[in-house]
Amino acid sequence: MKRTGPTPGLLRDIGEFGFIDRVKRRFGGPARPGEIGIGDDAAVLPSPAGKVVLSTDLLVEGTHFDLRYFLPEELGWRALSANLSDLAAMGASPVCYLVALAAPPHATVKLLEGIFRGMARAARPSGIRLMGGDTCLGEKIVLSITVMGKVRAGRAITRTGAKPGDILFVTGEPGWSRLGLRLLSGGRPRKPSGWMRKAMRRHLEPVARCEEGAGAAGCGAVSAMIDLSDGLLPDLSHLLAPGGMGAILNEKAFRLSPGFRKAAKELGEDPMAAFLAGGEDYELLMAVRPHRHDAFLRASRKFPAGAFPIGVVTRKGGVRVHRADGSWLAGLELPSGFSHFSSFAPSVAAAGNRSPRRRN
Ligand code: ADP
Ligand code: MG
């Protein structure tokens, strides 16, 4: 990001082209040999070997996010991370992204560039680059991100390949995002403690599991994969649905660390419910072929977020959880998913907010 002097005031002061020019200079980065980036009619880049993977998302102010409660950087970060997570869930490595933006003329350039800065920060770990987009005036902010990734031919992992007997693995520590949302719904704490900072970061700045997804695709042991956006149980049901399959999950195997339990207790949340139904964690859920288990374990040692087994796919439908005390949970006793993406707007907006946009 290059310094370009003081930020101009409003979008209407610099207009569409002035804004695009700034986006190009500050966020576009230099094109690589053989590439044409922002500035021409379209972007050009060498076609990657293997398969191209594409995904797009649309976010509308007031419906998906509310900038009274979230910083522009956080919106940008989350929006790009959610897209990267979709690539990761296919086993694809990120290549480039495009951003289409509508904004009212009275939007400040600072706010809009904050959104781009958040995206640029979320892009950094995977090296994905902004290669183009579209900008126009609109009544409210509408943000559409398109990501492109690549994967070796025959290696993309879909949601539909799981079979009975496959072992279910999940990356990272699902549930933290739910705890962060719960904390934020009471307003941002003025002096956040360690667990509070972790919970807020996991909600506001989730990290897409790109290395884990690509590693899963590369090891040849993963039969199906999905990213956790709605919650572990609701997203698991997508993996199980194709064959009318079910799963047995083992509570003793869940990663409910002492820090996680403490945070849940402070917030009055059931740790297992947050783990199983939290949502918006952007972890990856993988089904692993039992006879390729060793290959998976070798690959997963390199996952920055780690991966741990939580249960097994069964031929019989329905999900059952074997509790640590020996009892079973099934059907309506299971926690259901918390409402997806509401965290950007109504749920937080509704809760009397003390200091909505305070940075921790
Ligand atoms: P066109 O008239 O062909 O739509 P534009 O003037 O809208 O062209 O865009 C000029 C260049 O700026 C193109 O390379 C386009 O991809 C890029 N661009 C426009 N808006 C954005 C944006 N919001 N983010 C990134 N690149 C953008
Ligand atoms: Mg255009």
Side-chain angles (χ1 to χ4, degrees):
M1 277 169 260
K2 287 187 190 122
R3 285 260 143 254
T4 50
T7 308
L10 305 180
L11 182 57
R12 69 166 165 247
D13 296 341
I14 59 172
E16 178 190 340
F17 296 115
F19 181 71
I20 294 173
D21 194 46
R22 287 178 63 88
V23 166
K24 177 182 160 147
R25 279 182 287 139
R26 292 169 69 89
F27 305 103
R32 295 186 182 161
E35 283 182 358
I36 300 171
I38 296 175
D40 221 301
D41 289 317
V44 175
L45 66 172
S47 55
K51 301 278 184 183
V52 169
V53 181
L54 297 161
S55 178
T56 192
D57 256 337
L58 186 60
L59 296 172
V60 179
E61 185 177 18
T63 304
H64 303 105
F65 64 90
D66 186 334
L67 286 167
R68 282 174 302 170
Y69 301 99
F70 292 92
L71 296 167
E73 285 85 352
E74 292 163 350
L75 167 63
W77 176 297
R78 283 187 53 127
L80 185 65
S81 285
N83 272 274
L84 288 176
S85 181
D86 285 329
L87 290 185
M90 301 301 295
S93 303
V95 173
C96 73
Y97 66 108
L98 307 173
V99 176
L101 175 78
H106 56 79
T108 64
V109 173
K110 184 163 175 253
L111 183 153
L112 299 177
E113 288 189 351
I115 297 173
F116 278 83
R117 198 172 313 113
M119 291 189 284
R121 285 177 47 220
R124 219 169 281 152
S126 65
I128 193 170
R129 291 163 310 131
L130 178 65
M131 292 291 280
D134 198 22
T135 306
C136 71
L137 294 180
E139 276 168 32
K140 47 187 166 181
I141 295 179
V142 178
L143 180 69
S144 168
I145 302 181
T146 301
V147 288
M148 179 188 142
K150 61 179 178 181
V151 65
R152 270 174 55 196
R155 290 290 191 178
I157 303 178
T158 66
R159 296 178 174 187
T160 57
K163 289 215 173 72
D166 284 357
I167 306 161
L168 294 163
F169 277 80
V170 72
T171 62
E173 295 182 274
W176 273 108
S177 178
R178 166 70 194 174
L179 300 185
L181 169 61
R182 180 60 191 260
L183 176 65
L184 286 162
S185 68
R188 292 195 189 212
R190 283 171 199 279
K191 286 196 180 137
S193 60
W195 70 262
M196 289 178 176
R197 276 200 296 275
K198 177 163 180 176
M200 288 193 294
R201 198 174 60 243
R202 295 295 301 275
H203 184 70
L204 296 171
E205 298 180 342
V207 175
R209 303 305 186 191
C210 295
E211 277 185 60
E212 291 80 354
C219 75
V222 177
S223 59
M225 182 155 64
I226 190 169
D227 67 324
L228 301 185
S229 52
D230 294 339
L232 200 153
L233 289 179
D235 290 318
L236 170 61
S237 69
H238 295 298
L239 288 194
L240 301 175
M245 296 173 294
I248 292 178
L249 306 183
N250 181 5
E251 185 188 358
K252 279 194 188 144
F254 298 169
R255 198 178 270 180
L256 305 173
S257 64
F260 182 80
R261 288 181 190 278
K262 176 179 183 291
K265 188 157 175 254
E266 301 265 345
L267 292 164
E269 291 269 325
D270 174 354
M272 200 180 69
F275 176 88
L276 287 176
E280 303 185 289
D281 280 298
Y282 301 109
E283 298 295 349
L284 295 175
L285 175 65
M286 307 168 180
V288 173
R289 294 266 186 256
H291 65 278
R292 307 264 350 205
H293 189 208
D294 288 349
F296 179 79
L297 290 183
R298 272 195 304 279
S300 69
R301 274 187 216 113
K302 298 197 194 98
F303 291 180
F308 62 102
I310 56 167
V312 64
V313 178
T314 58
R315 192 170 304 282
K316 182 167 173 278
V319 174
R320 283 165 295 157
V321 177
H322 194 201
R323 308 258 358 223
D325 65 8
S327 64
W328 289 87
L329 280 184
L332 293 175
E333 301 156 342
L334 292 172
S336 56
F338 294 103
S339 63
H340 174 231
F341 239 53
S342 57
S343 50
F344 260 135
S347 59
V348 171
N353 213 297
R354 291 197 299 270
S355 52
R357 294 229 323 238
R358 185 175 298 279
R359 264 307 227 182
N360 52 53

